[in-house]
C-alpha cells in the first residue's frame, strides 16, 4: 500500500508537467473579434485622453506664462475646473501632484490675490471629488 502511494506521488509531477505543456501549445493564431473590438475601443480611449491632455496642458501653459491679472488667473483656474468636470477627473498623463506643483510655482512667483486662491482651492476640491470613489449618498445617515 505504501509503495503504491509512493509511485503515485512520484508520477503526479510528470502528469502535471505534460498537462501544462499541452496547454501552452493551444494558442490562437488569429485574434478573435472580441479582442479586435476591445483594441479599437482602447485606441479610441487613448486618442480621446491625449486630446484632453492637450487641453489641460494648453490651459496650464497659459496660466503660468500669459496670465498676469487677477481676472486672467481666475479664468484659467475655472477653465481647469471645467475641464476636470468634463473629463470626470484628470486625463491619462496628467498627475494631480504635478499639476498642483505647476500652479504653486506660479503662486510662488508673487501675484496671487485671495480670489485666485479661492479659485485654486475650488479646483483642488473638484479634483478630489471627481477622483473619489465614494460618490453614493448614504440616505439613512444624516451626517
Amino acid at each position: 500500500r505504501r509503495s503504491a502511494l509512493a509511485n503515485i506521488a512520484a508520477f503526479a509531477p510528470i502528469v502535471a508537467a505534460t498537462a501544462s505543456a499541452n496547454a501552452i501549445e493551444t494558442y490562437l493564431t488569429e485574434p478573435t473579434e472580441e479582442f479586435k473590438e476591445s483594441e479599437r475601443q482602447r485606441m479610441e480611449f487613448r486618442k480621446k485622453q491625449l486630446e484632453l491632455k492637450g487641453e489641460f496642458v494648453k490651459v496650464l501653459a497659459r496660466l503660468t506664462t500669459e496670465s498676469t491679472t487677477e481676472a486672467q488667473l481666475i479664468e484659467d483656474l475655472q477653465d481647469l475646473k471645467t475641464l476636470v468636470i468634463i473629463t470626470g477627473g484628470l486625463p491619462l498623463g496628467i498627475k494631480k501632484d504635478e499639476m498642483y506643483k505647476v500652479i504653486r510655482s506660479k503662486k510662488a512667483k508673487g501675484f496671487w490675490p485671495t480670489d485666485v486662491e479661492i479659485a485654486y482651492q475650488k479646483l483642488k476640491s473638484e479634483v478630489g471629488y471627481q477622483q473619489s470613489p465614494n460618490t453614493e449618498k448614504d440616505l439613512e445617515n444624516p451626517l
Side-chain angles (χ1 to χ4, degrees), residues 63-117:
L63 174 75
T64 55
T65 58
E66 298 173 15
S67 298
T68 55
T69 66
E70 181 178 352
Q72 289 173 331
L73 291 169
I74 291 173
E75 180 185 351
D76 290 340
L77 290 169
Q78 287 174 345
D79 288 347
L80 281 173
K81 181 181 171 190
T82 304
L83 284 171
V84 167
I85 292 170
I86 291 170
T87 308
L90 296 174
L92 293 176
I94 293 191
K95 295 185 173 120
K96 176 176 64 172
D97 293 335
E98 291 176 8
M99 182 178 74
Y100 293 160
K101 284 179 188 177
V102 169
I103 296 171
R104 285 195 312 258
S105 71
K106 176 68 175 181
K107 178 180 177 179
K109 290 179 183 174
F111 183 71
W112 196 261
T114 304
D115 289 338
V116 176
E117 179 64 24

Side-chain angles (χ1 to χ4, degrees), residues 1 7 19 24 51 94 113 120 130 138:
R1 192 172 188 178
N7 289 338
I24 292 172
E51 291 172 2
I94 293 191
Y120 171 61
Q130 292 292 337
D138 186 9

Side-chain angles (χ1 to χ4, degrees), residues 31-47:
T32 62
E33 291 301 318
E34 293 85 11
F35 179 78
K36 290 178 183 177
E37 177 65 19
S38 173
E39 284 293 313
R40 185 190 62 75
Q41 290 174 349
R42 197 172 296 122
M43 289 303 294
E44 286 178 7
F45 177 76
R46 285 186 184 137
K47 189 177 177 183

Side-chain angles (χ1 to χ4, degrees), residues 105-140:
S105 71
K106 176 68 175 181
K107 178 180 177 179
K109 290 179 183 174
F111 183 71
W112 196 261
T114 304
D115 289 338
V116 176
E117 179 64 24
I118 291 170
Y120 171 61
Q121 294 300 325
K122 286 181 180 179
L123 169 67
K124 285 181 69 173
S125 67
E126 187 62 40
V127 169
Y129 175 77
Q130 292 292 337
Q131 291 185 340
S132 172
N134 300 323
T135 57
E136 296 177 5
K137 303 284 186 218
D138 186 9
L139 299 176
E140 296 176 4

